[in-house]
Amino acid sequence: MLITSMFSHYAFFFSCFVGSLVSLSMAVDADESSTDDTPSNTIYLDPKASREARTEDLYSRLTQDEKIKLLAGTGFGIQPIERLSVPGVEMADAGQGVRGGNKTTEGPATLFASGMTMASTWNSTLLRKIGAAIGVEGLNKGTGVHIMLGPAVNITRAPLNGRNGEYMGEDPFLTAQSACEYILGMQNDANCLACIKHFACNNEEADRMWVDVNVSERTLHEIYLPAFETAVKKAHVRSVMSSYNQVNGFHASANKHLLTDILRDEWGFDGVVMSDWGGVHETKNTILSGNDLEMPDAKYLTSKNVKTALKNGDISQTDIDRNSRNIVRAIVDSCVLDGPHTPDHSRVGSPEHMELSYRAACEGIVLLKNQNNILPLDAKKIKTIALIGPAVKKMQYGAEGSPHVDPITETSPFDGIKSKLDSSVKINYVEIDAEEALNAARDADIAILCVNTLWTESEGVDRESMLLPGGQDALISAVASVNSHTVVALNNGAPVEMANWIENVDGVLETWLPGEEGGKALADILFGDINPSGKLPETLAFKREDYPDTPNFHTKTEPGSIEYAEGIYVGYRYFDKKNIKPLFPFGFGLSYTSFDYSDLRLSSQTLSPSGKVTVTVDVKNTGEREGAEVVQLYIRPIDPIMDRPIRELKGFVKLDLKPGEAKKATFALDARSFAHWDEVLSSWKVDDGAYAIEAAASSSDIRLSETVRATGVNVGD
Ligand code: BGC
């Protein structure tokens, strides 16, 4: 797919490039041999040659020193091999847009919606386009980047985790599908490498370099690994970043079980594994485990350390060969060997990309409450509007820390809302002062509060509480006490507690971290130009203590371990099992129209040995506005013979429907949809028995159900 066949547009440059090789410096360490590097033999430079042939050819030319040097990066890149005219391969963070890497890529880029917001769209087609757009911006920003450090797919186990906004929610299936599309866009459409991260179980920031996650094999396979597995098997992701933390006693970057047994042997990954930045802690096990590349540079995988380890017999030549060959393959996978690339800077922040950013914000914003149909607002009826809160003029547009992108532009809610109103409308704006807010809201026709987590969410730091910081709960209550038409727009990456005020307000929108067009999208939803269609990728509980990680969330700064005692019961799996009512369930989101589900059909009432079954359901827009519905498919084992979640998401489709229009949602299930990880067999297994197939509007709103029977179903590979 990627690579060889796609490079015909480089053919012209290629001939010039080969020409330059004639003047190659052939300086090689005196005691090391190298093969003949005459241009006619340089298969590695031939875009038409196969990926493996190019890899083997380049690899066979490397001296031992060059192989070892490759094992560590250059800040944000793979080492160049000057002797063979192999340029360095540049990298940049790329979870919500392209951040600066090696200086060459600094500067603004389109800031798309964060991972959480993207997942909230449940729109696979859109995510693929965004992945491609970010890839295109990377290739064309500065001097060009070929490895995009994203998507980030750690499951949001704990609501206080500072990086939740970067990730794609609590459900392995939704995360896997979202990440898969994003990667396909980057790799197949834009033609650069995606790097899925952080492998694995980097679910909180406290003590992230050392914390040891104790997690069962079943929990790993069912909850924390599926996004990586799907990325490898379906999207053929070319690179993986190991995480900072330890997993069951070994750092992820020195964890043979994760990096070799599972990633390569179980799933067949054939790309490169790089460490997170500063995530390597030793030489021997890093190399043995299959962490090919130390980033950002050589701290443990220095030439000296590697040579000593080889001499001592801690590692073998085969280990060096294997890891450096994987890095060579990544060089081939990137386009750097296919001739000079002249970045087109006009592709960065292009109108098409801004439009995609806007679309993602529109589709990712979730309408949570709409009492008395307070929304959409009628601009004609507003004489005075109160706009209150710290996010009115400056939202948290994206996740912070390494994913931070300087946006091309920013549209604030203030600007977005103002543009909807006649110039005669009075706008009472207050940032955070409760007294002033009371006065501003008292006589307004409508009060809109834009509140946020005040930059308390970021890489490297977890939140201490799920409450809105800075007295914003009191601010909301004060405003609601004087104005019965109050709408709250939340701007945050992870859940906040709403119990203190939600009963007192009519409208609530979760805007997440919506990207640079967030204020425009919010205004368009408030005034009904856009019908909201986002659904929650994460359960929103009444209070922090309702979440399963509460007794096992690591807040210490000294090294320690965390027991993932809740096992597979993460997110709605836990709330369902324990019968804890959430404030808003996973998969929930309101629309300005309504949808009716009917005629759920299965292609068969019994599963064949392959487990394949096609499910269809008709969905009709029964309201008066055009809208989109995310139709969800859950599987519920009926009388399971072992401990299973009540139900699990196994399919979703987003349908655009005009008023009165009906469409069929179609889902293809297979054996894996019904399977659990069997720790005794070390494989997936489908138990014989009956399973309910549920068509749902959220994990708590099951509209229709049918039963299928499984006997002797095999999961295979
Ligand atoms: C983050 C990674 C990021 C890397 C490079 C690390 O601190 O954990 O997600 O890709 O830095 O910026």
Side-chain angles (χ1 to χ4, degrees):
M1 14 148 277
L2 186 71
I3 316 303
T4 48
S5 63
M6 302 172 128
F7 300 144
S8 49
H9 58 293
Y10 285 118
F12 168 71
F13 298 108
F14 176 62
S15 55
C16 315
F17 188 54
V18 170
S20 72
L21 286 176
V22 179
S23 58
L24 276 180
S25 155
M26 300 298 285
V28 181
D29 291 357
D31 59 343
E32 293 174 325
S33 63
S34 75
T35 50
D36 176 15
D37 291 320
T38 56
S40 60
N41 287 339
T42 49
I43 297 169
Y44 70 95
L45 292 173
D46 179 359
K48 291 195 221 71
S50 75
R51 180 186 188 216
E52 279 316 300
R54 296 179 82 186
T55 302
E56 280 317 302
D57 182 49
L58 177 54
Y59 173 72
S60 69
R61 294 165 194 272
L62 297 183
T63 66
Q64 175 77 335
D65 278 351
E66 284 165 346
K67 286 181 193 169
I68 293 175
K69 201 172 163 210
L70 272 183
L71 300 179
T74 59
F76 274 84
I78 296 178
Q79 301 279 352
I81 312 164
E82 284 95 4
R83 184 180 64 83
L84 299 173
S85 290
V86 174
V89 184
E90 299 291 308
M91 309 170 179
D93 279 304
Q96 55 187 13
V98 185
R99 186 175 78 96
N102 270 340
K103 299 258 177 236
T104 50
T105 50
E106 278 179 351
T110 308
L111 172 57
F112 293 89
S114 74
M116 185 67 81
T117 322
M118 280 195 249
S120 210
T121 69
W122 301 63
N123 184 336
S124 305
T125 316
L126 182 62
L127 261 56
R128 181 160 179 157
K129 287 185 183 157
I130 292 175
I134 294 177
V136 164
E137 295 213 359
L139 287 168
N140 291 293
K141 194 176 178 201
T143 49
V145 185
H146 291 92
I147 301 184
M148 308 297 153
L149 306 176
V153 299
N154 297 92
I155 292 295
T156 53
R157 166 183 184 260
L160 298 182
N161 175 22
R163 291 187 89 166
N164 277 6
E166 277 184 64
Y167 302 149
M168 293 173 159
E170 70 186 27
D171 181 71
F173 184 81
L174 176 61
T175 303
Q177 299 309 307
S178 307
C180 189
E181 295 301 326
Y182 188 87
I183 293 164
L184 287 169
M186 270 184 176
Q187 295 198 160
N188 294 28
D189 304 343
N191 205 11
C192 51
L193 277 72
C195 178
I196 193 166
K197 61 189 188 181
H198 312 86
F199 191 60
C201 298
N202 186 176
N203 307 111
E204 62 179 67
E205 291 299 281
D207 188 28
R208 64 178 178 166
M209 294 283 180
W210 288 95
V211 65
D212 184 15
V213 168
N214 294 333
V215 56
S216 73
E217 278 303 303
R218 180 177 179 199
T219 304
L220 269 177
H221 278 85
E222 292 189 18
I223 304 294
Y224 295 102
L225 301 186
F228 296 97
E229 180 184 3
T230 305
V232 170
K233 291 183 173 170
K234 298 220 171 104
H236 304 286
V237 70
R238 297 302 202 199
S239 63
V240 170
M241 186 188 294
S242 55
S243 58
Y244 282 131
N245 51 289
Q246 304 185 60
V247 179
N248 295 330
F250 297 92
H251 267 108
S253 59
N255 197 312
K256 181 168 171 297
H257 183 56
L258 282 178
L259 301 183
T260 298
D261 302 347
I262 295 178
L263 184 63
R264 295 203 186 264
D265 297 347
E266 209 176 293
W267 303 340
F269 177 67
D270 63 0
V272 68
V273 175
M274 69 181 79
S275 74
D276 201 342
W277 271 231
V280 169
H281 300 273
E282 53 175 312
T283 307
K284 176 181 162 188
N285 287 318
T286 303
I287 293 179
L288 291 182
S289 68
N291 190 107
D292 307 308
L293 183 59
E294 177 181 17
M295 295 304 291
D297 42 34
K299 203 161 166 215
Y300 289 89
L301 304 194
T302 59
S303 273
K304 186 161 165 267
N305 287 353
V306 175
K307 283 178 181 170
T308 309
L310 183 62
K311 204 158 142 214
N312 294 345
D314 285 345
I315 60 169
S316 68
Q317 184 61 39
T318 317
D319 298 316
I320 295 176
D321 289 351
R322 180 195 57 231
N323 294 4
S324 56
R325 189 188 268 108
N326 288 333
I327 298 168
V328 169
R329 193 176 292 109
I331 297 173
V332 171
D333 283 344
S334 74
C335 316
V336 298
L337 298 178
D338 303 317
H341 164 62
T342 312
D344 173 358
H345 295 155
S346 70
R347 308 286 309 268
V348 180
S350 65
E352 300 79 47
H353 292 178
M354 309 280 258
E355 170 66 18
L356 274 177
S357 177
Y358 165 71
R359 284 249 60 93
C362 291
E363 292 204 29
I365 292 175
V366 187
L367 177 61
L368 295 174
K369 182 173 181 185
N370 195 15
Q371 195 163 287
N372 305 322
N373 288 330
I374 188 166
L375 298 176
L377 303 173
D378 184 348
K380 287 196 234 62
K381 292 196 179 143
I382 300 174
K383 302 272 175 291
T384 306
I385 189 167
L387 299 182
I388 296 164
V392 169
K393 290 213 170 161
K394 180 136 186 94
M395 288 181 110
Q396 297 171 151
Y397 295 97
E400 289 302 323
S402 57
H404 175 90
V405 173
D406 289 330
I408 304 281
T409 173
E410 287 175 3
T411 315
S412 68
F414 187 91
D415 292 339
I417 293 168
K418 191 163 179 253
S419 74
K420 302 283 171 197
L421 301 169
D422 191 85
S423 56
S424 63
V425 174
K426 186 161 173 255
I427 300 179
N428 296 340
Y429 164 65
V430 175
E431 192 178 340
I432 196 134
D433 186 278
E435 277 305 309
E436 285 178 29
L438 279 177
N439 294 333
R442 193 167 280 120
D443 302 322
D445 300 305
I446 178 101
I448 297 176
L449 283 136
C450 299
V451 293
N452 66 14
T453 40
L454 296 176
W455 287 269
T456 52
E457 295 173 88
S458 171
E459 178 185 352
V461 31
D462 295 322
R463 278 184 305 164
E464 283 171 10
S465 154
M466 256 180 62
L467 290 170
L468 283 167
Q472 293 178 90
D473 273 9
L475 185 71
I476 299 172
S477 299
V479 170
S481 73
V482 295
N483 193 312
S484 56
H485 300 120
T486 296
V487 174
V488 175
L490 295 163
N491 172 215
N492 48 300
V496 295
E497 282 189 26
M498 300 179 224
N500 288 336
W501 46 263
I502 191 152
E503 287 306 321
N504 307 330
V505 301
D506 274 358
V508 182
L509 288 146
E510 176 56 88
T511 73
W512 299 119
L513 306 172
E516 62 183 70
E517 300 284 355
K520 180 170 182 312
L522 173 62
D524 283 348
I525 286 177
L526 287 170
F527 288 90
D529 302 288
I530 295 287
N531 189 349
S533 63
K535 296 216 180 186
L536 293 174
E538 173 131 354
T539 307
L540 302 185
F542 280 91
K543 53 186 192 305
R544 193 274 172 271
E545 292 70 30
D546 288 348
Y547 287 92
D549 69 291
T550 306
N552 292 296
F553 184 66
H554 190 67
T555 50
K556 302 185 202 113
T557 43
E558 73 269 23
S561 60
I562 309 182
E563 196 63 41
Y564 279 18
E566 71 285 351
I568 55 172
Y569 295 103
V570 173
Y572 65 90
R573 289 164 170 77
Y574 175 80
F575 286 81
D576 283 356
K577 193 77 171 182
K578 297 281 178 187
N579 222 349
I580 299 172
K581 194 174 160 14
L583 179 58
F584 296 110
F586 173 82
F588 175 81
L590 298 171
S591 163
Y592 296 149
T593 186
S594 50
F595 302 99
D596 187 49
Y597 289 50
S598 64
D599 207 18
L600 176 66
R601 283 172 194 254
L602 313 183
S603 58
S604 164
Q605 300 318 119
T606 359
L607 289 180
S608 67
S610 75
K612 289 203 167 112
V613 60
T614 304
V615 181
T616 55
V617 62
D618 293 341
V619 179
K620 183 172 183 189
N621 181 344
T622 49
E624 281 158 20
R625 278 172 183 265
E626 185 170 356
E629 171 70 335
V630 176
V631 189
Q632 299 157 51
L633 201 75
Y634 293 85
I635 297 186
R636 179 170 59 83
I638 302 171
D639 296 329
I641 55 172
M642 67 174 303
D643 199 17
R644 296 289 300 267
I646 305 286
R647 61 177 52 83
E648 297 183 273
L649 181 76
K650 296 297 170 182
F652 61 88
V653 174
K654 191 166 193 174
L655 298 176
D656 290 315
L657 294 162
K658 298 207 164 34
E661 190 183 15
K663 280 184 187 164
K664 216 176 259 312
T666 303
F667 307 88
L669 301 176
D670 61 15
R672 192 52 196 276
S673 316
F674 298 86
H676 61 86
W677 182 259
D678 187 308
E679 291 193 343
V680 178
L681 299 173
S682 262
S683 67
W684 294 98
K685 183 166 184 273
V686 178
D687 289 329
D688 290 352
Y691 294 82
I693 309 288
E694 302 176 329
S698 84
S699 62
S700 298
D701 184 4
I702 310 304
R703 299 290 179 89
L704 297 164
S705 179
E706 284 290 333
T707 306
V708 72
R709 196 145 257 297
T711 326
V713 173
N714 293 314
V715 180
D717 290 335

